[in-house]
Coordinates of all heavy atoms in Angstrom, one line a residue:
M124 N 130.6 72.2 82.1 CA 129.5 72.3 81.2 C 129.2 70.9 80.7 O 130.1 70.2 80.2 CB 129.7 73.3 80.1 CG 128.5 73.3 79.1 SD 128.8 74.4 77.7 CE 128.8 76.0 78.5
L125 N 128.0 70.5 80.8 CA 127.6 69.2 80.2 C 126.7 69.4 79.0 O 125.8 70.3 79.1 CB 126.8 68.4 81.3 CG 127.6 68.0 82.5 CD1 126.7 67.3 83.5 CD2 128.7 67.1 82.2
V126 N 126.9 68.7 78.0 CA 126.1 68.8 76.8 C 125.5 67.4 76.5 O 126.2 66.4 76.6 CB 127.0 69.2 75.6 CG1 126.1 69.2 74.3 CG2 127.6 70.5 75.9
G127 N 124.2 67.4 76.2 CA 123.6 66.1 75.9 C 123.0 65.5 77.2 O 122.2 66.1 77.8
N128 N 123.5 64.4 77.6 CA 123.0 63.7 78.8 C 123.6 64.4 80.0 O 124.8 64.4 80.2 CB 123.5 62.2 78.8 CG 123.0 61.5 80.0 OD1 122.4 62.1 80.9 ND2 123.1 60.2 80.0
T129 N 122.7 65.1 80.8 CA 123.1 65.9 81.9 C 122.8 65.2 83.2 O 122.8 65.8 84.3 CB 122.5 67.3 81.9 OG1 121.1 67.1 81.9 CG2 123.0 68.0 80.6
S130 N 122.5 63.9 83.2 CA 122.1 63.2 84.4 C 123.1 63.1 85.5 O 122.7 62.9 86.7 CB 121.6 61.7 84.0 OG 122.7 61.0 83.6
V131 N 124.3 63.4 85.2 CA 125.3 63.3 86.3 C 125.6 64.7 86.9 O 126.5 64.8 87.8 CB 126.7 62.7 85.8 CG1 126.5 61.3 85.3 CG2 127.3 63.5 84.7
A132 N 124.9 65.7 86.4 CA 125.1 67.1 86.9 C 125.0 67.2 88.4 O 125.9 67.8 89.1 CB 124.1 68.1 86.3
G133 N 124.0 66.5 89.0 CA 123.8 66.6 90.5 C 125.0 66.0 91.2 O 125.5 66.6 92.2
S134 N 125.5 64.9 90.7 CA 126.7 64.2 91.4 C 127.9 65.1 91.2 O 128.7 65.2 92.2 CB 126.9 62.8 90.7 OG 125.8 62.0 90.9
L135 N 128.1 65.7 90.0 CA 129.3 66.5 89.9 C 129.2 67.8 90.8 O 130.2 68.1 91.4 CB 129.4 67.0 88.4 CG 129.8 65.9 87.4 CD1 129.7 66.5 86.0 CD2 131.3 65.5 87.7
I136 N 128.1 68.4 90.9 CA 127.9 69.6 91.7 C 128.2 69.2 93.2 O 128.9 69.9 93.9 CB 126.5 70.2 91.6 CG1 126.4 70.8 90.2 CG2 126.2 71.2 92.7 CD1 125.0 71.3 89.8
Q137 N 127.7 68.0 93.6 CA 127.9 67.6 94.9 C 129.4 67.4 95.2 O 129.9 67.8 96.2 CB 127.1 66.3 95.1 CG 127.2 65.8 96.6 CD 126.3 64.5 96.7 OE1 126.5 63.6 95.9 NE2 125.5 64.5 97.7
I138 N 130.1 66.7 94.3 CA 131.5 66.5 94.4 C 132.3 67.8 94.5 O 133.1 68.0 95.4 CB 132.1 65.7 93.2 CG1 131.6 64.2 93.4 CG2 133.6 65.7 93.2 CD1 131.8 63.4 92.1
L139 N 131.9 68.8 93.7 CA 132.5 70.1 93.7 C 132.2 70.9 95.0 O 133.1 71.5 95.6 CB 132.1 70.9 92.5 CG 132.6 70.4 91.2 CD1 132.0 71.1 90.0 CD2 134.1 70.5 91.1
D140 N 130.9 70.8 95.4 CA 130.5 71.5 96.6 C 131.2 71.0 97.9 O 131.6 71.8 98.8 CB 129.0 71.4 96.9 CG 128.2 72.3 96.0 OD1 128.8 73.2 95.3 OD2 127.0 72.2 95.9
R141 N 131.4 69.7 97.9 CA 132.0 69.1 99.1 C 133.5 69.1 99.0 O 134.2 68.8 100.0 CB 131.6 67.6 99.2 CG 130.1 67.5 99.6 CD 129.8 66.0 99.8 NE 128.5 65.8 100.2 CZ 128.0 64.6 100.4 NH1 128.7 63.5 100.3 NH2 126.7 64.5 100.8
G142 N 134.0 69.3 97.8 CA 135.5 69.2 97.6 C 136.0 67.8 97.7 O 137.1 67.5 98.0
D143 N 135.0 66.8 97.4 CA 135.4 65.4 97.4 C 136.4 65.1 96.3 O 136.4 65.8 95.2 CB 134.2 64.5 97.1 CG 133.2 64.5 98.2 OD1 133.5 64.9 99.3 OD2 132.0 64.1 98.0
P144 N 137.3 64.2 96.5 CA 138.3 63.9 95.4 C 137.6 63.1 94.3 O 136.6 62.4 94.5 CB 139.3 63.0 96.1 CG 138.5 62.4 97.3 CD 137.5 63.4 97.7
L145 N 138.0 63.4 93.1 CA 137.5 62.6 91.9 C 138.1 61.2 92.0 O 139.2 61.0 92.5 CB 137.9 63.3 90.6 CG 137.2 64.5 90.2 CD1 137.8 65.2 89.1 CD2 135.7 64.2 89.9
P146 N 137.4 60.2 91.4 CA 137.9 58.9 91.4 C 139.2 58.9 90.5 O 139.4 59.9 89.7 CB 136.8 58.0 90.8 CG 135.9 59.0 90.2 CD 136.0 60.3 90.8
E147 N 140.0 57.9 90.6 CA 141.2 57.8 89.8 C 140.8 58.0 88.3 O 141.6 58.6 87.5 CB 141.9 56.5 90.0 CG 143.3 56.4 89.4 CD 144.0 55.2 89.9 OE1 144.1 55.0 91.2 OE2 144.5 54.5 89.1
D148 N 139.7 57.4 87.8 CA 139.3 57.5 86.5 C 138.1 58.4 86.5 O 137.0 58.0 86.8 CB 138.9 56.1 85.9 CG 138.5 56.2 84.4 OD1 138.4 57.4 83.9 OD2 138.4 55.2 83.8
P149 N 138.2 59.7 86.1 CA 137.1 60.6 86.1 C 135.9 60.1 85.3 O 134.7 60.6 85.5 CB 137.6 61.9 85.5 CG 139.1 61.8 85.7 CD 139.4 60.3 85.6
L150 N 136.0 59.2 84.3 CA 134.9 58.7 83.6 C 133.9 58.0 84.4 O 132.8 57.8 84.1 CB 135.4 57.8 82.4 CG 136.0 58.5 81.3 CD1 136.6 57.5 80.3 CD2 135.0 59.4 80.6
E151 N 134.4 57.5 85.6 CA 133.4 56.8 86.5 C 132.3 57.8 87.0 O 131.2 57.4 87.3 CB 134.2 56.3 87.7 CG 135.1 55.1 87.4 CD 135.8 54.6 88.6 OE1 135.4 54.9 89.8 OE2 136.9 54.0 88.4
V152 N 132.7 59.1 87.1 CA 131.7 60.1 87.5 C 130.9 60.5 86.2 O 129.7 60.7 86.3 CB 132.4 61.3 88.1 CG1 131.4 62.4 88.4 CG2 133.1 60.9 89.3
L153 N 131.5 60.7 85.1 CA 130.8 61.2 83.9 C 130.0 60.2 83.3 O 129.0 60.5 82.7 CB 131.9 61.8 82.9 CG 132.6 63.0 83.4 CD1 133.8 63.3 82.4 CD2 131.7 64.2 83.6
C154 N 130.3 58.9 83.4 CA 129.6 57.8 82.7 C 129.4 56.7 83.7 O 130.0 55.7 83.6 CB 130.4 57.3 81.5 SG 130.8 58.6 80.3
P155 N 128.6 56.9 84.8 CA 128.6 56.0 85.9 C 128.1 54.6 85.5 O 128.4 53.7 86.2 CB 127.6 56.7 86.9 CG 126.8 57.6 86.1 CD 127.7 58.1 85.0
R156 N 127.3 54.4 84.5 CA 126.8 53.1 84.2 C 127.7 52.4 83.1 O 127.4 51.2 82.8 CB 125.4 53.1 83.7 CG 124.4 53.3 84.9 CD 123.1 53.6 84.4 NE 123.0 54.9 83.7 CZ 123.1 56.1 84.3 NH1 123.3 56.2 85.6 NH2 123.0 57.2 83.6
A157 N 128.7 53.1 82.6 CA 129.5 52.5 81.5 C 130.5 51.6 82.2 O 130.9 51.7 83.4 CB 130.2 53.6 80.8
T158 N 130.9 50.6 81.5 CA 132.0 49.7 81.9 C 133.2 49.9 81.1 O 133.2 49.9 79.9 CB 131.5 48.2 81.8 OG1 130.3 48.1 82.5 CG2 132.5 47.3 82.3
F159 N 134.3 50.2 81.8 CA 135.5 50.5 81.2 C 136.5 49.4 81.6 O 137.7 49.7 81.8 CB 136.1 51.9 81.6 CG 135.1 53.0 81.2 CD1 134.4 53.6 82.2 CD2 134.9 53.4 79.9 CE1 133.5 54.6 81.9 CE2 134.1 54.4 79.6 CZ 133.3 55.0 80.6
G160 N 136.0 48.2 81.7 CA 136.9 47.1 82.1 C 137.3 47.2 83.5 O 138.2 46.5 84.0
G161 N 136.5 47.9 84.3 CA 136.8 48.1 85.7 C 135.9 47.3 86.6 O 135.6 46.1 86.2
D162 N 135.6 47.8 87.7 CA 134.8 47.1 88.7 C 133.5 46.6 88.3 O 132.7 47.4 87.8 CB 134.7 48.1 89.9 CG 134.0 47.5 91.1 OD1 134.0 46.3 91.1 OD2 133.5 48.2 91.9
S163 N 133.3 45.4 88.4 CA 132.0 44.8 88.1 C 131.4 44.2 89.4 O 130.4 43.4 89.4 CB 132.1 43.7 87.0 OG 132.9 42.7 87.5
S164 N 132.0 44.5 90.5 CA 131.6 43.9 91.8 C 130.3 44.6 92.4 O 129.8 44.1 93.3 CB 132.7 44.0 92.8 OG 132.9 45.4 93.2
G165 N 130.0 45.7 91.8 CA 128.8 46.5 92.4 C 129.2 47.4 93.5 O 128.4 48.0 94.2
A166 N 130.5 47.6 93.7 CA 131.0 48.5 94.8 C 130.9 49.9 94.4 O 131.0 50.8 95.3 CB 132.5 48.2 95.1
R167 N 130.5 50.2 93.2 CA 130.4 51.6 92.7 C 129.3 52.3 93.6 O 128.2 51.8 93.8 CB 130.0 51.6 91.2 CG 129.8 53.0 90.7 CD 129.5 53.0 89.2 NE 128.2 52.3 89.0 CZ 127.0 52.9 89.0 NH1 127.0 54.2 89.3 NH2 125.9 52.2 88.8
M168 N 129.6 53.5 94.0 CA 128.7 54.3 94.8 C 127.6 54.9 93.9 O 128.0 55.7 93.1 CB 129.5 55.3 95.6 CG 128.8 55.7 96.9 SD 128.6 54.3 98.0 CE 130.2 53.7 98.3
V169 N 126.4 54.6 94.2 CA 125.3 55.2 93.4 C 124.8 56.4 94.1 O 124.6 57.5 93.6 CB 124.2 54.2 93.1 CG1 123.0 54.9 92.5 CG2 124.7 53.1 92.3
C170 N 124.5 56.3 95.4 CA 124.1 57.4 96.2 C 125.2 57.9 97.1 O 125.6 57.3 98.1 CB 122.9 57.0 97.1 SG 122.3 58.3 98.2
N171 N 125.7 59.0 96.7 CA 126.9 59.6 97.5 C 126.4 60.2 98.8 O 127.2 60.2 99.8 CB 127.6 60.6 96.7 CG 128.3 60.0 95.5 OD1 129.0 59.0 95.7 ND2 128.2 60.6 94.3
C172 N 125.2 60.7 98.9 CA 124.7 61.2 100.2 C 124.7 60.2 101.3 O 125.1 60.5 102.4 CB 123.3 61.8 100.0 SG 123.2 63.3 99.0
H173 N 124.3 59.0 101.0 CA 124.1 58.0 102.0 C 125.1 56.8 101.8 O 124.9 55.8 102.4 CB 122.7 57.5 102.1 CG 121.7 58.6 102.5 ND1 121.8 59.1 103.8 CD2 120.8 59.2 101.9 CE1 120.8 60.0 103.9 NE2 120.2 60.1 102.7
K174 N 126.0 57.0 100.9 CA 127.0 55.9 100.6 C 126.4 54.6 100.4 O 126.7 53.6 101.0 CB 128.0 55.8 101.8 CG 128.7 57.2 102.1 CD 129.5 57.7 101.0 CE 130.2 59.0 101.3 NZ 130.4 59.8 100.1
V175 N 125.5 54.6 99.4 CA 124.8 53.3 99.0 C 125.4 52.8 97.7 O 125.3 53.5 96.7 CB 123.3 53.5 98.9 CG1 122.6 52.2 98.6 CG2 122.7 54.1 100.2
S176 N 125.9 51.6 97.7 CA 126.5 51.0 96.6 C 125.5 50.4 95.6 O 124.4 50.1 96.0 CB 127.5 50.0 97.0 OG 126.9 48.8 97.5
E177 N 126.0 50.2 94.4 CA 125.1 49.5 93.4 C 124.8 48.1 93.9 O 123.6 47.7 93.7 CB 125.9 49.5 92.1 CG 125.0 48.8 91.0 CD 125.7 48.9 89.6 OE1 126.7 49.6 89.4 OE2 125.3 48.1 88.7
A178 N 125.7 47.4 94.5 CA 125.4 46.1 95.0 C 124.3 46.1 96.1 O 123.5 45.2 96.1 CB 126.7 45.5 95.6
R179 N 124.4 47.1 96.9 CA 123.3 47.2 98.0 C 122.0 47.4 97.3 O 121.0 46.9 97.8 CB 123.7 48.3 99.0 CG 122.7 48.6 100.0 CD 122.5 47.5 101.0 NE 121.4 47.8 101.9 CZ 120.1 47.2 101.7 NH1 119.9 46.5 100.7 NH2 119.2 47.5 102.6
L180 N 122.0 48.3 96.3 CA 120.7 48.6 95.6 C 120.2 47.3 94.9 O 119.0 47.0 94.9 CB 120.9 49.8 94.7 CG 121.1 51.1 95.4 CD1 121.7 52.1 94.4 CD2 119.8 51.6 96.0
R181 N 121.1 46.6 94.2 CA 120.7 45.4 93.5 C 120.1 44.4 94.5 O 119.2 43.7 94.2 CB 121.8 44.8 92.7 CG 122.2 45.7 91.5 CD 123.2 45.0 90.6 NE 123.7 45.9 89.6 CZ 123.0 46.2 88.5 NH1 121.8 45.7 88.3 NH2 123.5 47.0 87.6
Q182 N 120.7 44.3 95.7 CA 120.2 43.4 96.7 C 118.8 43.8 97.2 O 117.9 43.0 97.3 CB 121.1 43.3 97.9 CG 120.7 42.3 99.0 CD 120.7 40.9 98.4 OE1 121.6 40.4 97.8 NE2 119.5 40.2 98.6
A183 N 118.6 45.1 97.3 CA 117.3 45.6 97.7 C 116.2 45.3 96.7 O 115.1 44.9 97.0 CB 117.3 47.1 98.0
V184 N 116.6 45.4 95.4 CA 115.7 45.1 94.3 C 115.4 43.6 94.4 O 114.2 43.2 94.2 CB 116.3 45.5 92.9 CG1 115.5 44.9 91.8 CG2 116.4 47.0 92.8
A185 N 116.4 42.8 94.6 CA 116.2 41.3 94.6 C 115.3 41.0 95.8 O 114.6 40.0 95.8 CB 117.6 40.6 94.7
D186 N 115.4 41.8 96.9 CA 114.6 41.5 98.1 C 113.1 42.1 97.9 O 112.4 42.0 98.9 CB 115.2 42.2 99.3 CG 116.5 41.5 99.7 OD1 116.7 40.3 99.3 OD2 117.3 42.1 100.5
G187 N 112.9 42.7 96.8 CA 111.5 43.1 96.5 C 111.2 44.5 96.3 O 110.0 44.9 96.0
A188 N 112.2 45.4 96.4 CA 111.9 46.8 96.2 C 111.6 47.0 94.7 O 112.5 46.7 93.8 CB 113.1 47.7 96.6
A189 N 110.4 47.5 94.4 CA 110.0 47.5 93.0 C 109.7 49.0 92.5 O 109.4 49.2 91.4 CB 108.8 46.7 92.8
T190 N 109.9 49.9 93.4 CA 109.7 51.3 93.0 C 110.9 52.1 93.6 O 111.6 51.7 94.5 CB 108.4 51.9 93.6 OG1 108.5 51.9 95.0 CG2 107.2 51.1 93.1
V191 N 111.0 53.3 93.1 CA 112.1 54.2 93.6 C 111.9 54.5 95.1 O 112.8 54.4 95.9 CB 112.2 55.5 92.8 CG1 113.2 56.5 93.5 CG2 112.7 55.2 91.4
D192 N 110.6 54.7 95.5 CA 110.3 55.0 96.9 C 110.6 53.8 97.7 O 111.2 53.9 98.8 CB 108.9 55.4 97.0 CG 108.6 56.8 96.5 OD1 109.6 57.6 96.4 OD2 107.5 57.2 96.3
A193 N 110.3 52.6 97.3 CA 110.6 51.4 98.0 C 112.1 51.2 98.2 O 112.6 50.8 99.2 CB 109.9 50.2 97.4
L194 N 112.8 51.5 97.1 CA 114.3 51.4 97.1 C 114.9 52.4 98.1 O 115.8 52.1 98.8 CB 114.8 51.6 95.7 CG 116.1 51.0 95.3 CD1 116.3 49.6 95.6 CD2 116.3 51.2 93.8
S195 N 114.3 53.6 98.1 CA 114.8 54.6 99.0 C 114.5 54.2 100.5 O 115.3 54.4 101.3 CB 114.1 55.9 98.7 OG 114.5 56.4 97.5
Q196 N 113.3 53.6 100.7 CA 112.9 53.2 102.0 C 113.9 52.1 102.5 O 114.3 52.1 103.7 CB 111.5 52.8 102.1 CG 111.0 52.5 103.5 CD 109.5 52.3 103.5 OE1 108.9 52.0 102.5 NE2 108.9 52.4 104.7
A197 N 114.2 51.2 101.6 CA 115.0 50.1 102.0 C 116.5 50.5 102.2 O 117.2 49.8 103.1 CB 114.9 49.0 101.0
T198 N 117.0 51.5 101.5 CA 118.4 51.8 101.6 C 118.8 53.2 101.9 O 119.9 53.5 102.2 CB 119.0 51.5 100.2 OG1 118.5 52.5 99.2 CG2 118.8 50.1 99.7
K199 N 117.8 54.1 102.0 CA 118.0 55.5 102.2 C 118.5 56.2 100.9 O 118.6 57.4 100.9 CB 118.9 55.8 103.4 CG 118.3 55.5 104.7 CD 119.1 55.9 105.9 CE 119.1 57.4 106.0 NZ 119.9 57.9 107.2
A200 N 118.9 55.5 99.9 CA 119.4 56.1 98.7 C 118.3 57.0 98.1 O 117.1 56.6 98.2 CB 119.7 55.0 97.6
G201 N 118.6 58.1 97.7 CA 117.7 59.0 97.1 C 117.0 59.9 98.1 O 116.1 60.8 97.7
T202 N 117.3 59.8 99.3 CA 116.6 60.6 100.3 C 117.4 61.9 100.8 O 117.0 62.6 101.7 CB 116.2 59.8 101.6 OG1 117.4 59.3 102.2 CG2 115.3 58.6 101.2
G203 N 118.5 62.1 100.1 CA 119.3 63.3 100.4 C 119.0 64.3 99.4 O 117.9 64.9 99.3
C204 N 120.0 64.6 98.6 CA 119.9 65.6 97.5 C 119.0 65.2 96.4 O 118.4 66.0 95.7 CB 121.3 66.0 97.0 SG 122.0 64.7 95.9
G205 N 118.8 63.9 96.3 CA 117.9 63.4 95.2 C 118.5 63.2 93.9 O 117.8 62.7 92.9
S206 N 119.8 63.6 93.7 CA 120.4 63.5 92.4 C 120.5 62.1 91.9 O 120.7 61.9 90.7 CB 121.7 64.2 92.4 OG 122.7 63.5 93.1
C207 N 120.5 61.1 92.7 CA 120.6 59.7 92.3 C 119.3 59.0 92.0 O 119.3 57.9 91.5 CB 121.4 58.9 93.4 SG 120.4 58.8 94.9
R208 N 118.2 59.7 92.2 CA 116.9 59.1 92.0 C 116.7 58.6 90.5 O 116.1 57.6 90.3 CB 115.8 60.0 92.4 CG 115.8 60.1 94.0 CD 114.6 61.0 94.5 NE 113.3 60.4 94.3 CZ 112.7 59.5 95.1 NH1 113.4 59.1 96.2 NH2 111.5 59.1 94.9
T209 N 117.3 59.4 89.6 CA 117.2 58.9 88.2 C 117.9 57.6 88.0 O 117.4 56.7 87.3 CB 117.8 60.0 87.2 OG1 117.0 61.2 87.4 CG2 117.7 59.5 85.8
E210 N 119.0 57.5 88.6 CA 119.8 56.2 88.5 C 119.1 55.1 89.2 O 119.1 53.9 88.8 CB 121.2 56.4 89.0 CG 122.0 55.2 88.6 CD 123.5 55.4 88.7 OE1 124.0 56.6 89.0 OE2 124.3 54.5 88.6
L211 N 118.4 55.4 90.3 CA 117.6 54.4 91.0 C 116.6 53.8 90.1 O 116.3 52.6 90.0 CB 117.0 54.9 92.3 CG 117.9 55.5 93.4 CD1 117.1 55.9 94.6 CD2 119.0 54.5 93.7
A212 N 115.9 54.7 89.4 CA 114.9 54.3 88.4 C 115.5 53.5 87.3 O 114.9 52.5 86.8 CB 114.1 55.6 87.9
Q213 N 116.7 53.9 86.8 CA 117.3 53.1 85.8 C 117.7 51.7 86.3 O 117.6 50.7 85.5 CB 118.5 53.9 85.3 CG 118.2 55.1 84.5 CD 119.4 56.0 84.2 OE1 120.4 55.9 84.9 NE2 119.2 56.9 83.3
L214 N 118.1 51.6 87.5 CA 118.4 50.3 88.0 C 117.2 49.4 88.1 O 117.2 48.2 87.8 CB 119.0 50.4 89.4 CG 120.5 50.7 89.5 CD1 120.9 51.1 91.0 CD2 121.4 49.6 89.0
L215 N 116.1 50.0 88.5 CA 114.8 49.3 88.6 C 114.4 48.9 87.2 O 113.9 47.8 87.0 CB 113.7 50.1 89.3 CG 113.9 50.3 90.8 CD1 113.0 51.4 91.3 CD2 113.5 49.0 91.4
G216 N 114.5 49.8 86.2 CA 114.1 49.5 84.9 C 115.0 48.4 84.3 O 114.4 47.5 83.6
A217 N 116.2 48.3 84.6 CA 117.1 47.3 84.1 C 116.7 45.9 84.8 O 116.8 44.9 84.1 CB 118.6 47.6 84.5
A218 N 116.2 46.0 86.0 CA 115.8 44.8 86.7 C 114.4 44.3 86.3 O 114.1 43.1 86.2 CB 115.9 45.0 88.2
H219 N 113.5 45.3 86.1 CA 112.1 44.9 85.9 C 111.5 45.3 84.5 O 110.4 45.1 84.3 CB 111.2 45.6 87.0 CG 111.5 45.1 88.4 ND1 111.4 43.9 88.8 CD2 112.0 45.8 89.4 CE1 111.8 43.8 90.1 NE2 112.2 45.0 90.5
G220 N 112.3 46.0 83.7 CA 111.8 46.6 82.5 C 111.2 47.9 82.8 O 111.0 48.4 83.9
P221 N 110.9 48.7 81.7 CA 110.4 50.0 81.9 C 109.0 50.0 82.5 O 108.3 49.0 82.5 CB 110.3 50.6 80.4 CG 110.2 49.3 79.6 CD 111.0 48.3 80.3
P222 N 108.6 51.1 83.2 CA 107.3 51.1 83.8 C 106.2 51.1 82.8 O 106.4 51.5 81.6 CB 107.3 52.5 84.6 CG 108.3 53.3 83.9 CD 109.3 52.3 83.4
P223 N 105.0 50.6 83.1 CA 104.0 50.5 82.1 C 103.6 51.9 81.6 O 103.6 52.8 82.4 CB 102.8 49.8 82.8 CG 103.2 49.9 84.3 CD 104.6 50.1 84.4
A224 N 103.3 52.0 80.3 CA 102.8 53.3 79.8 C 101.5 53.6 80.4 O 100.7 52.8 80.6 CB 102.8 53.2 78.3
K225 N 101.3 54.9 80.6 CA 100.0 55.4 81.1 C 99.0 55.3 80.0 O 99.3 55.6 78.8 CB 100.1 56.8 81.6 CG 100.9 56.9 82.9 CD 100.9 58.3 83.4 CE 101.7 58.3 84.7 NZ 101.8 59.6 85.3
V226 N 97.8 54.8 80.3 CA 96.8 54.7 79.3 C 95.8 55.8 79.5 O 95.3 56.0 80.6 CB 96.1 53.3 79.5 CG1 94.9 53.2 78.5 CG2 97.1 52.2 79.3
A227 N 95.5 56.5 78.4 CA 94.5 57.6 78.5 C 93.1 57.0 78.9 O 92.7 55.9 78.4 CB 94.4 58.3 77.2
A228 N 92.4 57.8 79.7 CA 91.1 57.3 80.1 C 90.1 57.4 78.9 O 90.2 58.4 78.1 CB 90.6 58.2 81.3
A229 N 89.2 56.5 78.8 CA 88.2 56.5 77.8 C 87.2 57.5 78.1 O 86.9 57.8 79.2 CB 87.6 55.1 77.6
S230 N 86.7 58.2 77.1 CA 85.7 59.2 77.3 C 84.3 58.7 77.1 O 84.0 57.7 76.6 CB 85.9 60.4 76.4 OG 86.0 60.1 75.1
Ligands
LIG522 S1 123.2 61.2 95.9 FE1 122.0 62.5 97.1 S2 120.3 61.4 97.6 FE2 121.5 60.0 96.6

């Protein structure tokens, strides 16, 4: 049961469904963007469906992917179960800032 931020629910369900082993430090699954003095190399897997690492995604962003769809097209991340798409958006937001707010049409 997750309370509060449930963004990792998809990843957890996928791990349970597949019977994948948990990482040595389970906090890597529960708090994927937190740093616990561990890996800063970008080797962390963001998209488990297609085994796309954070480093690969950062490279795709540096190469010009500016939307989740562009990032998915460049890396295949987010084209499986879709549970990582929120994190793809967060990576883009960290790189480019939040998306512009929608402006209501004038009447
Ligand atoms: S984890 Fe399923 S599409 Fe990325």
Side-chain angles (χ1 to χ4, degrees):
M124 177 183 292
L125 296 174
V126 177
N128 182 350
T129 60
S130 65
V131 298
S134 296
L135 285 172
I136 289 169
Q137 186 177 50
I138 288 170
L139 294 171
D140 283 349
R141 290 182 177 182
D143 290 345
L145 284 172
E147 191 169 307
D148 183 354
L150 285 176
E151 291 177 23
V152 175
L153 295 171
C154 308
R156 282 168 298 287
T158 303
F159 302 104
D162 182 19
S163 62
S164 68
R167 180 178 64 84
M168 209 56 62
V169 173
C170 179
N171 290 315
C172 288
H173 295 293
K174 305 297 180 210
V175 182
S176 69
E177 182 176 344
R179 174 69 187 96
L180 291 164
R181 290 189 188 284
Q182 184 60 52
V184 170
D186 290 344
T190 65
V191 170
D192 287 341
L194 204 48
S195 294
Q196 188 171 15
T198 66
K199 291 184 71 176
T202 61
C204 72
S206 68
C207 64
R208 290 181 68 83
T209 299
E210 192 166 352
L211 301 183
Q213 290 169 341
L214 280 170
L215 286 166
H219 300 296
K225 291 184 179 177
V226 177
S230 54

